[in-house]
């Protein structure tokens, strides 16, 4: 039985299959109404439970639409509505849910809780974002880059600016698994986890960390950022002060490769980590990136249910 808690749960070969599947699924349903099922409806009869301990727009909607397009259904639950909030254990909740649904996606406050749920579950468990990782977002990002640049992600050059957070960590992991170069520029206090960087380097990826945003974007095909204050972060004022030089603005985009694309997982804080002119400009791929959450997650679900081979 498979889980998708981090990208490493898939590994490079399965990730490649997931990406190829996501591209094919998107192409195959061009022009169809968004809620119409795909030909073959490969997850007909399957039900996904989606548990949210924190707010979500994209993850919530895209999993629901993904399951509809695959012919299945979704039950979305706010964690506070479950008996979990009244002391029922994660273990017991996971065992009960495993008897009623076919897979579970969880946006958890603590990655350790997600791992505990997965350890007790008899059905696939998906990470819908924790403080440590956002693997579903990373798959959509890889897909978007391949789509916009028209070539495989391997060998491309990425720059990440701002906070070395959960989204950055999954992209660092992706660099190791898929073989692209990544420069991560953050204030030293908000640098990404050294263990995640070391693991990507051990796989041969050129991952560099630095505090110079201009150096990070030089020659980059992709410039990516995220909010400076993630859900659960408490030092908001200090973060905004420290990250101000890392704002993605026209000057920084001009220092990247001509034709470089801009990524942001959203929600964006316009005027903080990115200017309106960049996020609304021709280099921005953020709306494709958001849509691609649907296609990427469909491919992840098909992989979890054994439809993409070993
Ligand atoms: N990018 C992303 O995961 O967005 P939501 O928080 O809206 O799900
Ligand atoms: N880093 C952000 C991502 C939101 C999708 C957060 O954790 O709040």
């Amino acid at each position: 039985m498979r889980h998708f808690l981090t990208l490493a749960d898939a590994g490079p070969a399965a990730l490649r299959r997931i990406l190829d599947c996501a591209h094919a699924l998107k192409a195959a349903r061009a022009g169809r109404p968004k809620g119409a099922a795909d030909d073959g409806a490969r997850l007909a009869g399957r039900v996904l439970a989606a548990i949210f301990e924190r707010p979500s727009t994209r993850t919530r909607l895209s999993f629901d639409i993904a399951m509809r397009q695959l012919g299945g259904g979704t039950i979305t639950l706010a964690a506070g509505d479950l008996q979990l909030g009244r002391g029922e254990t994660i273990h017991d909740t996971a065992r009960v849910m495993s008897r009623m649904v076919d897979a579970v996606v969880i946006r958890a406050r603590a990655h350790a809780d997600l791992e505990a749920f997965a350890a007790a579950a008899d059905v696939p468990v998906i990470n819908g974002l924790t403080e440590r990782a956002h693997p579903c977002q990373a798959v959509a990002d890889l897909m978007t880059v391949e789509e916009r640049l028209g070539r495989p992600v391997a060998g491309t050059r990425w720059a990440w600016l701002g906070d070395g957070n959960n989204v950055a960590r999954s992209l660092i992991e992706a660099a190791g698994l898929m073989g692209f170069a990544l420069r991560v520029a953050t204030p030293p206090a908000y640098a990404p986890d050294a263990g995640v960087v070391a693991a990507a380097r051990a796989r041969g990826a050129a991952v560099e960390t630095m505090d110079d945003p201009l150096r990070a974007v030089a020659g980059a095909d992709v410039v990516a950022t995220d909010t400076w204050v993630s859900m659960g972060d408490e030092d908001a004022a200090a973060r905004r002060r420290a990250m101000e030089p890392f704002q993605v603005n026209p000057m920084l985009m001009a220092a990247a490769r001509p034709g470089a694309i801009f990524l942001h997982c959203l929600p964006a804080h316009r005027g903080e980590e990115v200017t309106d002119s960049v996020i609304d400009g021709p280099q921005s791929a953020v709306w494709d990136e958001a849509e691609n959450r649907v296609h990427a997650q469909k491919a992840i679900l098909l992989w979890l249910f054994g439809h993409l081979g070993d």
Side-chain angles (χ1 to χ4, degrees), residues 54-55 58-59 107 128-131 134 137 160 163 165-168 226-233 265-267 293:
R54 293 194 186 281
R58 281 142 288 267
T59 304
R107 172 161 289 189
L129 181 126
T130 65
E131 83 287 10
H134 201 0
Q137 182 69 53
W160 174 273
D163 187 15
N165 63 11
N166 40 13
V167 176
D226 185 13
T227 180
W228 293 338
V229 185
S230 282
M231 293 180 275
D233 286 338
C265 64
L266 305 178
R293 292 291 303 278

Side-chain angles (χ1 to χ4, degrees), residues 157-162 181-186 188 201 206-224 245-247 249 251-257:
R157 296 167 66 102
W158 297 45
W160 174 273
L161 303 182
L182 175 59
R183 287 182 168 168
V184 181
T186 68
R201 285 184 184 149
V207 177
E208 296 174 74
T209 57
M210 58 195 70
D211 60 7
D212 180 353
L214 261 177
R215 200 179 135 223
V217 299
D221 302 299
V222 179
V223 178
F246 298 84
Q247 181 190 67
N249 54 33
M251 186 271 291
L252 273 184
M253 284 307 291
R257 192 167 279 187

Side-chain angles (χ1 to χ4, degrees), residues 116-177:
F117 192 103
D122 297 324
V123 297
V125 175
I126 304 166
N127 182 353
L129 181 126
T130 65
E131 83 287 10
R132 268 199 241 159
H134 201 0
C136 296
Q137 182 69 53
V139 176
D141 292 1
L142 299 174
M143 178 185 177
T144 306
V145 167
E146 294 195 334
E147 194 174 70
R148 290 288 283 248
L149 297 184
R151 57 190 159 104
V153 73
T156 56
R157 296 167 66 102
W158 297 45
W160 174 273
L161 303 182
D163 187 15
N165 63 11
N166 40 13
V167 176
R169 285 170 64 141
S170 285
L171 289 179
I172 292 166
E173 200 184 3
L177 294 168

Side-chain angles (χ1 to χ4, degrees), residues 270-294:
R270 291 160 175 264
E272 292 188 16
E273 73 272 9
V274 62
T275 60
D276 285 336
S277 51
V278 170
I279 197 168
D280 295 328
Q283 289 169 280
S284 174
V286 302
W287 317 117
D288 293 336
E289 185 184 1
E291 177 192 330
N292 286 342
R293 292 291 303 278
V294 174

Side-chain angles (χ1 to χ4, degrees), residues 8 10 15 17-18 23 27-28 66 80-81 86 89 115 140 146 193 225 233-234 277 282 292 294:
L15 260 181
R17 287 204 301 280
I18 288 169
H23 289 301
D81 296 339
R86 292 184 58 253
T89 66
E115 288 176 333
E146 294 195 334
D193 179 79
T225 192
D233 286 338
E234 283 167 3
S277 51
N292 286 342
V294 174

